[in-house]
Amino acid sequence: MRYLGRRLVVLAAVLGVIGLLPWLTRTDPALTILHARYADRPPTPAVLDAIRAETGLDGGPAHVLADWAGGLLRGDLGRSWVSGEPVGPDAVSALGVSLALMGCSLVVALLLALALAAPTLRRGARRGLATTRAGVGAAVLAALPEFLLAAVLAAVVAVQLGWFPALGWGSAEQAVLPALAMGVPAGALLGRLLDDALPAAFAEPWARAATAGGLPPRRIAVHALRRTTPALLPQLGLMAVGLTGGAVAVETLYAIPGLGGTALAAALAQDLPVLQACVLLLLLLGLAAGLAARVGSRVLLGPARTAGALPALAAPPLPVRRVVTAGAVGLAALLLAVAVAGLLRDPLTVDAAARLASPSAAHPLGTDALGRDVLARLGHGAARTVLVALAVGAVTLLLGLVVGALRAGALTETANALPAVLAGLVVAGIAGPGPWGAAAAVAAVAWAPLAAHTSALYAQEKAAPHLAVSRALGAGRVHLLRRHLLPGVVPPVVRHAVLRTPAVALALASLGFLGLGTQPPAPEWGRMLSENMPYAERAPWAVLAPAVALAALGALAVLTSAAVRGRRRA
């Protein structure tokens, strides 16, 4: 009951904030409704008063929230302010579509995660782990923007090859491409986390005893998966909710009537009843996913979780290959060279005669739709993109560690259920649009996966038997935290945060594209992607340049982390 009670309180608080969105944005909801319903009618005071009386806005935000809550108790989600139709049927239908798409995407993600971790599983089960794997391939796949992958799949697989439909929803064939676009980055992230945890499981005494006893490698690999899964189950639950409500770009590109796109459209149109219904469904889904992950973790850990008999997962001292260090240095030098070359050029000069020009001596990376030099915009956007993403990543890491250690699961699941775009609308309404508001919006929700990872690792570390021994010897809380808990929790969470750096940059870019973040014509890698996506077929260089830069940023982060990790152990 305490578990459900805390989550219901947080849910009610978030719904209250969403209900105040029209007033937080300091706009007149009646004027927005008028423009949506009757574009040709003048906004006279009489017309606006009639709309306020019809929708209940004349009573103020408290009256609107009370009416909506009363209807909710009766099972009524209200009527759309824009269309006048009941909200419930459309919201439930959109949820069904998003759940089906989420299920297909999760299948893709799980299969890819197992494929990426298969080499470590195979070598670990045969006692053949000799070096640390950097996981560059997984980092590059995790850094791929969903909307870019979706556009490439639609253009190549659907249009040129004709293998699958490019638009619509309703058949199994129509689910393949959007599921791939959403499942590949999610699976790459999950596979990287699994690959990072497996060496510690194979280094435990049971694995050595199983090998010595002649247990087949396949069974050893299965036991290793079971040993590492409890710490990753919360990530899987959060991923399921994120794939349901955060697939706005993919749903829009493939014309899928899902919940994420419905929520964004309602937020932009100030259609409060529809927005509240979508957020309510997402939060309830987050509650269900968190409960399922909690139950699954307890089942997998069994009585060892509370009996203090669960050994801590300590990664073995595997050296790192020299090629990893050399790759990190080389990739950093290449990105720095591109940034310096771009800084020597003007990113704002518009040359209409050179629109979408291919790479040449004058423009080494070509030009964009306005004739601006892509190399110049890439170089000038490097500092803005990388530094802001790193700053936001550091804040989310700190928040994730603190909230995860406090075991605030209700807050974590609620924050994860809110798409970053929706949080951006709320923050922009309070603080106004701009880069700081966008950074605050992304930081407000991006810490949730790190907090869930911290909480899961923290629970396992507290169940380790050496902790009970330390307490018996008189160790205090500070000593236990500094010498036993933090060393087992912080390094995996830091590597997780590093892997999410390109995703943070893309989240900032998506808010900028909606006018809530960095404003044009300021160059930014993610914004370059969004601006040039309509011209990807005519001028692929304008899209590939920022996409490759973001993928290289993810690869560099993982290579650097692996190099530092190996050097520390050497």
Side-chain angles (χ1 to χ4, degrees), residues 446-474:
W447 56 266
L450 303 177
H453 199 186
T454 300
S455 180
L457 292 174
Y458 189 74
Q460 290 195 49
E461 291 293 328
K462 287 187 69 176
H466 66 83
L467 217 63
V469 174
S470 298
R471 288 196 193 96
L473 293 175

PDB file of all heavy atoms in Angstrom, residues 446-474:
ATOM      1  N   ALA A 446      15.733  13.341 -17.698  1.00  0.00           N
ATOM      2  CA  ALA A 446      16.772  12.427 -18.173  1.00  0.00           C
ATOM      3  C   ALA A 446      17.481  11.697 -17.041  1.00  0.00           C
ATOM      4  O   ALA A 446      18.215  10.737 -17.299  1.00  0.00           O
ATOM      5  CB  ALA A 446      17.802  13.192 -19.017  1.00  0.00           C
ATOM      6  N   TRP A 447      17.300  12.112 -15.805  1.00  0.00           N
ATOM      7  CA  TRP A 447      17.966  11.444 -14.681  1.00  0.00           C
ATOM      8  C   TRP A 447      17.272  10.144 -14.287  1.00  0.00           C
ATOM      9  O   TRP A 447      17.852   9.328 -13.562  1.00  0.00           O
ATOM     10  CB  TRP A 447      17.993  12.371 -13.459  1.00  0.00           C
ATOM     11  CG  TRP A 447      16.650  12.847 -13.030  1.00  0.00           C
ATOM     12  CD1 TRP A 447      16.029  14.004 -13.382  1.00  0.00           C
ATOM     13  CD2 TRP A 447      15.726  12.160 -12.164  1.00  0.00           C
ATOM     14  NE1 TRP A 447      14.792  14.093 -12.804  1.00  0.00           N
ATOM     15  CE2 TRP A 447      14.582  12.968 -12.052  1.00  0.00           C
ATOM     16  CE3 TRP A 447      15.759  10.950 -11.486  1.00  0.00           C
ATOM     17  CZ2 TRP A 447      13.483  12.610 -11.290  1.00  0.00           C
ATOM     18  CZ3 TRP A 447      14.661  10.568 -10.728  1.00  0.00           C
ATOM     19  CH2 TRP A 447      13.545  11.399 -10.629  1.00  0.00           C
ATOM     20  N   ALA A 448      16.034   9.927 -14.752  1.00  0.00           N
ATOM     21  CA  ALA A 448      15.245   8.792 -14.269  1.00  0.00           C
ATOM     22  C   ALA A 448      15.906   7.436 -14.547  1.00  0.00           C
ATOM     23  O   ALA A 448      15.979   6.596 -13.636  1.00  0.00           O
ATOM     24  CB  ALA A 448      13.841   8.849 -14.874  1.00  0.00           C
ATOM     25  N   PRO A 449      16.403   7.148 -15.770  1.00  0.00           N
ATOM     26  CA  PRO A 449      17.060   5.841 -15.966  1.00  0.00           C
ATOM     27  C   PRO A 449      18.296   5.656 -15.099  1.00  0.00           C
ATOM     28  O   PRO A 449      18.572   4.543 -14.631  1.00  0.00           O
ATOM     29  CB  PRO A 449      17.428   5.860 -17.464  1.00  0.00           C
ATOM     30  CG  PRO A 449      16.511   6.855 -18.079  1.00  0.00           C
ATOM     31  CD  PRO A 449      16.303   7.896 -17.039  1.00  0.00           C
ATOM     32  N   LEU A 450      19.045   6.727 -14.856  1.00  0.00           N
ATOM     33  CA  LEU A 450      20.224   6.624 -14.002  1.00  0.00           C
ATOM     34  C   LEU A 450      19.823   6.369 -12.552  1.00  0.00           C
ATOM     35  O   LEU A 450      20.492   5.615 -11.833  1.00  0.00           O
ATOM     36  CB  LEU A 450      21.052   7.903 -14.104  1.00  0.00           C
ATOM     37  CG  LEU A 450      21.525   8.287 -15.509  1.00  0.00           C
ATOM     38  CD1 LEU A 450      22.279   9.610 -15.475  1.00  0.00           C
ATOM     39  CD2 LEU A 450      22.404   7.194 -16.093  1.00  0.00           C
ATOM     40  N   ALA A 451      18.731   6.988 -12.123  1.00  0.00           N
ATOM     41  CA  ALA A 451      18.251   6.744 -10.753  1.00  0.00           C
ATOM     42  C   ALA A 451      17.771   5.306 -10.589  1.00  0.00           C
ATOM     43  O   ALA A 451      18.018   4.674  -9.551  1.00  0.00           O
ATOM     44  CB  ALA A 451      17.123   7.718 -10.422  1.00  0.00           C
ATOM     45  N   ALA A 452      17.083   4.785 -11.617  1.00  0.00           N
ATOM     46  CA  ALA A 452      16.631   3.392 -11.534  1.00  0.00           C
ATOM     47  C   ALA A 452      17.812   2.429 -11.494  1.00  0.00           C
ATOM     48  O   ALA A 452      17.807   1.443 -10.744  1.00  0.00           O
ATOM     49  CB  ALA A 452      15.729   3.076 -12.733  1.00  0.00           C
ATOM     50  N   HIS A 453      18.842   2.711 -12.290  1.00  0.00           N
ATOM     51  CA  HIS A 453      20.045   1.877 -12.284  1.00  0.00           C
ATOM     52  C   HIS A 453      20.741   1.950 -10.919  1.00  0.00           C
ATOM     53  O   HIS A 453      21.156   0.923 -10.358  1.00  0.00           O
ATOM     54  CB  HIS A 453      20.985   2.343 -13.384  1.00  0.00           C
ATOM     55  CG  HIS A 453      22.007   1.327 -13.753  1.00  0.00           C
ATOM     56  ND1 HIS A 453      23.038   1.578 -14.639  1.00  0.00           N
ATOM     57  CD2 HIS A 453      22.186   0.046 -13.359  1.00  0.00           C
ATOM     58  CE1 HIS A 453      23.781   0.498 -14.762  1.00  0.00           C
ATOM     59  NE2 HIS A 453      23.287  -0.438 -14.003  1.00  0.00           N
ATOM     60  N   THR A 454      20.857   3.150 -10.379  1.00  0.00           N
ATOM     61  CA  THR A 454      21.477   3.329  -9.064  1.00  0.00           C
ATOM     62  C   THR A 454      20.711   2.584  -7.989  1.00  0.00           C
ATOM     63  O   THR A 454      21.300   1.900  -7.133  1.00  0.00           O
ATOM     64  CB  THR A 454      21.539   4.829  -8.716  1.00  0.00           C
ATOM     65  OG1 THR A 454      22.313   5.517  -9.689  1.00  0.00           O
ATOM     66  CG2 THR A 454      22.146   5.045  -7.344  1.00  0.00           C
ATOM     67  N   SER A 455      19.389   2.707  -8.005  1.00  0.00           N
ATOM     68  CA  SER A 455      18.569   2.063  -6.988  1.00  0.00           C
ATOM     69  C   SER A 455      18.712   0.542  -7.029  1.00  0.00           C
ATOM     70  O   SER A 455      18.831  -0.113  -5.982  1.00  0.00           O
ATOM     71  CB  SER A 455      17.101   2.457  -7.185  1.00  0.00           C
ATOM     72  OG  SER A 455      16.283   1.861  -6.217  1.00  0.00           O
ATOM     73  N   ALA A 456      18.726  -0.029  -8.246  1.00  0.00           N
ATOM     74  CA  ALA A 456      18.853  -1.482  -8.368  1.00  0.00           C
ATOM     75  C   ALA A 456      20.216  -1.963  -7.882  1.00  0.00           C
ATOM     76  O   ALA A 456      20.321  -2.961  -7.158  1.00  0.00           O
ATOM     77  CB  ALA A 456      18.625  -1.895  -9.824  1.00  0.00           C
ATOM     78  N   LEU A 457      21.289  -1.261  -8.288  1.00  0.00           N
ATOM     79  CA  LEU A 457      22.629  -1.647  -7.830  1.00  0.00           C
ATOM     80  C   LEU A 457      22.784  -1.445  -6.321  1.00  0.00           C
ATOM     81  O   LEU A 457      23.420  -2.252  -5.633  1.00  0.00           O
ATOM     82  CB  LEU A 457      23.677  -0.822  -8.580  1.00  0.00           C
ATOM     83  CG  LEU A 457      23.812  -1.102 -10.082  1.00  0.00           C
ATOM     84  CD1 LEU A 457      24.772  -0.109 -10.716  1.00  0.00           C
ATOM     85  CD2 LEU A 457      24.294  -2.520 -10.323  1.00  0.00           C
ATOM     86  N   TYR A 458      22.203  -0.367  -5.813  1.00  0.00           N
ATOM     87  CA  TYR A 458      22.296  -0.064  -4.379  1.00  0.00           C
ATOM     88  C   TYR A 458      21.622  -1.164  -3.553  1.00  0.00           C
ATOM     89  O   TYR A 458      22.141  -1.588  -2.502  1.00  0.00           O
ATOM     90  CB  TYR A 458      21.632   1.286  -4.118  1.00  0.00           C
ATOM     91  CG  TYR A 458      21.827   1.833  -2.732  1.00  0.00           C
ATOM     92  CD1 TYR A 458      23.051   2.364  -2.348  1.00  0.00           C
ATOM     93  CD2 TYR A 458      20.783   1.837  -1.806  1.00  0.00           C
ATOM     94  CE1 TYR A 458      23.230   2.880  -1.068  1.00  0.00           C
ATOM     95  CE2 TYR A 458      20.955   2.355  -0.534  1.00  0.00           C
ATOM     96  CZ  TYR A 458      22.181   2.869  -0.173  1.00  0.00           C
ATOM     97  OH  TYR A 458      22.357   3.367   1.087  1.00  0.00           O
ATOM     98  N   ALA A 459      20.475  -1.657  -4.041  1.00  0.00           N
ATOM     99  CA  ALA A 459      19.774  -2.728  -3.322  1.00  0.00           C
ATOM    100  C   ALA A 459      20.608  -4.005  -3.298  1.00  0.00           C
ATOM    101  O   ALA A 459      20.668  -4.701  -2.277  1.00  0.00           O
ATOM    102  CB  ALA A 459      18.419  -2.989  -3.977  1.00  0.00           C
ATOM    103  N   GLN A 460      21.262  -4.304  -4.416  1.00  0.00           N
ATOM    104  CA  GLN A 460      22.102  -5.503  -4.452  1.00  0.00           C
ATOM    105  C   GLN A 460      23.338  -5.350  -3.567  1.00  0.00           C
ATOM    106  O   GLN A 460      23.747  -6.291  -2.886  1.00  0.00           O
ATOM    107  CB  GLN A 460      22.528  -5.801  -5.895  1.00  0.00           C
ATOM    108  CG  GLN A 460      21.386  -6.267  -6.775  1.00  0.00           C
ATOM    109  CD  GLN A 460      21.872  -6.894  -8.067  1.00  0.00           C
ATOM    110  OE1 GLN A 460      22.742  -7.751  -8.060  1.00  0.00           O
ATOM    111  NE2 GLN A 460      21.308  -6.447  -9.173  1.00  0.00           N
ATOM    112  N   GLU A 461      23.941  -4.164  -3.583  1.00  0.00           N
ATOM    113  CA  GLU A 461      25.127  -3.955  -2.750  1.00  0.00           C
ATOM    114  C   GLU A 461      24.783  -4.054  -1.263  1.00  0.00           C
ATOM    115  O   GLU A 461      25.564  -4.580  -0.478  1.00  0.00           O
ATOM    116  CB  GLU A 461      25.738  -2.581  -3.049  1.00  0.00           C
ATOM    117  CG  GLU A 461      26.377  -2.461  -4.430  1.00  0.00           C
ATOM    118  CD  GLU A 461      27.606  -3.328  -4.572  1.00  0.00           C
ATOM    119  OE1 GLU A 461      28.318  -3.528  -3.571  1.00  0.00           O
ATOM    120  OE2 GLU A 461      27.848  -3.829  -5.686  1.00  0.00           O
ATOM    121  N   LYS A 462      23.604  -3.560  -0.867  1.00  0.00           N
ATOM    122  CA  LYS A 462      23.217  -3.621   0.536  1.00  0.00           C
ATOM    123  C   LYS A 462      22.946  -5.050   0.997  1.00  0.00           C
ATOM    124  O   LYS A 462      22.979  -5.333   2.197  1.00  0.00           O
ATOM    125  CB  LYS A 462      21.962  -2.767   0.765  1.00  0.00           C
ATOM    126  CG  LYS A 462      22.225  -1.269   0.715  1.00  0.00           C
ATOM    127  CD  LYS A 462      21.000  -0.482   1.109  1.00  0.00           C
ATOM    128  CE  LYS A 462      20.687  -0.665   2.576  1.00  0.00           C
ATOM    129  NZ  LYS A 462      19.545   0.177   3.018  1.00  0.00           N
ATOM    130  N   ALA A 463      22.672  -5.953   0.018  1.00  0.00           N
ATOM    131  CA  ALA A 463      22.415  -7.355   0.372  1.00  0.00           C
ATOM    132  C   ALA A 463      23.679  -8.195   0.397  1.00  0.00           C
ATOM    133  O   ALA A 463      23.600  -9.402   0.608  1.00  0.00           O
ATOM    134  CB  ALA A 463      21.415  -7.962  -0.621  1.00  0.00           C
ATOM    135  N   ALA A 464      24.844  -7.574   0.179  1.00  0.00           N
ATOM    136  CA  ALA A 464      26.097  -8.335   0.157  1.00  0.00           C
ATOM    137  C   ALA A 464      26.495  -8.751   1.577  1.00  0.00           C
ATOM    138  O   ALA A 464      26.350  -7.973   2.532  1.00  0.00           O
ATOM    139  CB  ALA A 464      27.203  -7.493  -0.473  1.00  0.00           C
ATOM    140  N   PRO A 465      27.023  -9.953   1.747  1.00  0.00           N
ATOM    141  CA  PRO A 465      27.383 -10.427   3.093  1.00  0.00           C
ATOM    142  C   PRO A 465      28.526  -9.638   3.722  1.00  0.00           C
ATOM    143  O   PRO A 465      28.580  -9.509   4.949  1.00  0.00           O
ATOM    144  CB  PRO A 465      27.766 -11.891   2.861  1.00  0.00           C
ATOM    145  CG  PRO A 465      28.079 -11.994   1.401  1.00  0.00           C
ATOM    146  CD  PRO A 465      27.212 -10.999   0.727  1.00  0.00           C
ATOM    147  N   HIS A 466      29.452  -9.096   2.903  1.00  0.00           N
ATOM    148  CA  HIS A 466      30.576  -8.373   3.502  1.00  0.00           C
ATOM    149  C   HIS A 466      30.117  -7.092   4.190  1.00  0.00           C
ATOM    150  O   HIS A 466      30.815  -6.546   5.060  1.00  0.00           O
ATOM    151  CB  HIS A 466      31.635  -8.050   2.436  1.00  0.00           C
ATOM    152  CG  HIS A 466      31.177  -7.079   1.388  1.00  0.00           C
ATOM    153  ND1 HIS A 466      31.211  -5.722   1.566  1.00  0.00           N
ATOM    154  CD2 HIS A 466      30.693  -7.275   0.138  1.00  0.00           C
ATOM    155  CE1 HIS A 466      30.760  -5.110   0.477  1.00  0.00           C
ATOM    156  NE2 HIS A 466      30.443  -6.033  -0.402  1.00  0.00           N
ATOM    157  N   LEU A 467      28.929  -6.600   3.817  1.00  0.00           N
ATOM    158  CA  LEU A 467      28.398  -5.414   4.470  1.00  0.00           C
ATOM    159  C   LEU A 467      27.999  -5.746   5.912  1.00  0.00           C
ATOM    160  O   LEU A 467      28.246  -4.953   6.838  1.00  0.00           O
ATOM    161  CB  LEU A 467      27.196  -4.897   3.686  1.00  0.00           C
ATOM    162  CG  LEU A 467      27.038  -3.376   3.605  1.00  0.00           C
ATOM    163  CD1 LEU A 467      28.223  -2.770   2.870  1.00  0.00           C
ATOM    164  CD2 LEU A 467      25.751  -3.016   2.882  1.00  0.00           C
ATOM    165  N   ALA A 468      27.371  -6.917   6.102  1.00  0.00           N
ATOM    166  CA  ALA A 468      27.004  -7.337   7.463  1.00  0.00           C
ATOM    167  C   ALA A 468      28.238  -7.552   8.321  1.00  0.00           C
ATOM    168  O   ALA A 468      28.257  -7.203   9.518  1.00  0.00           O
ATOM    169  CB  ALA A 468      26.160  -8.617   7.390  1.00  0.00           C
ATOM    170  N   VAL A 469      29.295  -8.090   7.726  1.00  0.00           N
ATOM    171  CA  VAL A 469      30.544  -8.289   8.466  1.00  0.00           C
ATOM    172  C   VAL A 469      31.141  -6.948   8.883  1.00  0.00           C
ATOM    173  O   VAL A 469      31.608  -6.775  10.025  1.00  0.00           O
ATOM    174  CB  VAL A 469      31.547  -9.090   7.603  1.00  0.00           C
ATOM    175  CG1 VAL A 469      32.897  -9.176   8.308  1.00  0.00           C
ATOM    176  CG2 VAL A 469      31.006 -10.484   7.320  1.00  0.00           C
ATOM    177  N   SER A 470      31.113  -5.985   7.972  1.00  0.00           N
ATOM    178  CA  SER A 470      31.659  -4.659   8.293  1.00  0.00           C
ATOM    179  C   SER A 470      30.873  -4.001   9.417  1.00  0.00           C
ATOM    180  O   SER A 470      31.443  -3.348  10.295  1.00  0.00           O
ATOM    181  CB  SER A 470      31.646  -3.775   7.045  1.00  0.00           C
ATOM    182  OG  SER A 470      32.472  -4.325   6.035  1.00  0.00           O
ATOM    183  N   ARG A 471      29.550  -4.148   9.399  1.00  0.00           N
ATOM    184  CA  ARG A 471      28.735  -3.580  10.484  1.00  0.00           C
ATOM    185  C   ARG A 471      29.085  -4.256  11.803  1.00  0.00           C
ATOM    186  O   ARG A 471      29.177  -3.600  12.857  1.00  0.00           O
ATOM    187  CB  ARG A 471      27.249  -3.788  10.181  1.00  0.00           C
ATOM    188  CG  ARG A 471      26.699  -2.926   9.068  1.00  0.00           C
ATOM    189  CD  ARG A 471      25.178  -2.908   9.115  1.00  0.00           C
ATOM    190  NE  ARG A 471      24.610  -2.350   7.899  1.00  0.00           N
ATOM    191  CZ  ARG A 471      24.181  -3.067   6.883  1.00  0.00           C
ATOM    192  NH1 ARG A 471      24.259  -4.397   6.927  1.00  0.00           N
ATOM    193  NH2 ARG A 471      23.686  -2.488   5.816  1.00  0.00           N
ATOM    194  N   ALA A 472      29.281  -5.578  11.769  1.00  0.00           N
ATOM    195  CA  ALA A 472      29.612  -6.298  13.004  1.00  0.00           C
ATOM    196  C   ALA A 472      30.949  -5.857  13.570  1.00  0.00           C
ATOM    197  O   ALA A 472      31.163  -5.901  14.787  1.00  0.00           O
ATOM    198  CB  ALA A 472      29.616  -7.804  12.727  1.00  0.00           C
ATOM    199  N   LEU A 473      31.859  -5.427  12.707  1.00  0.00           N
ATOM    200  CA  LEU A 473      33.165  -4.953  13.156  1.00  0.00           C
ATOM    201  C   LEU A 473      33.141  -3.495  13.578  1.00  0.00           C
ATOM    202  O   LEU A 473      34.180  -2.930  13.934  1.00  0.00           O
ATOM    203  CB  LEU A 473      34.188  -5.146  12.032  1.00  0.00           C
ATOM    204  CG  LEU A 473      34.507  -6.611  11.671  1.00  0.00           C
ATOM    205  CD1 LEU A 473      35.439  -6.665  10.463  1.00  0.00           C
ATOM    206  CD2 LEU A 473      35.124  -7.328  12.855  1.00  0.00           C
ATOM    207  N   GLY A 474      31.968  -2.862  13.531  1.00  0.00           N
ATOM    208  CA  GLY A 474      31.839  -1.497  14.025  1.00  0.00           C
ATOM    209  C   GLY A 474      31.917  -0.418  12.984  1.00  0.00           C
ATOM    210  O   GLY A 474      32.056   0.767  13.322  1.00  0.00           O
TER     211      GLY A 474
END
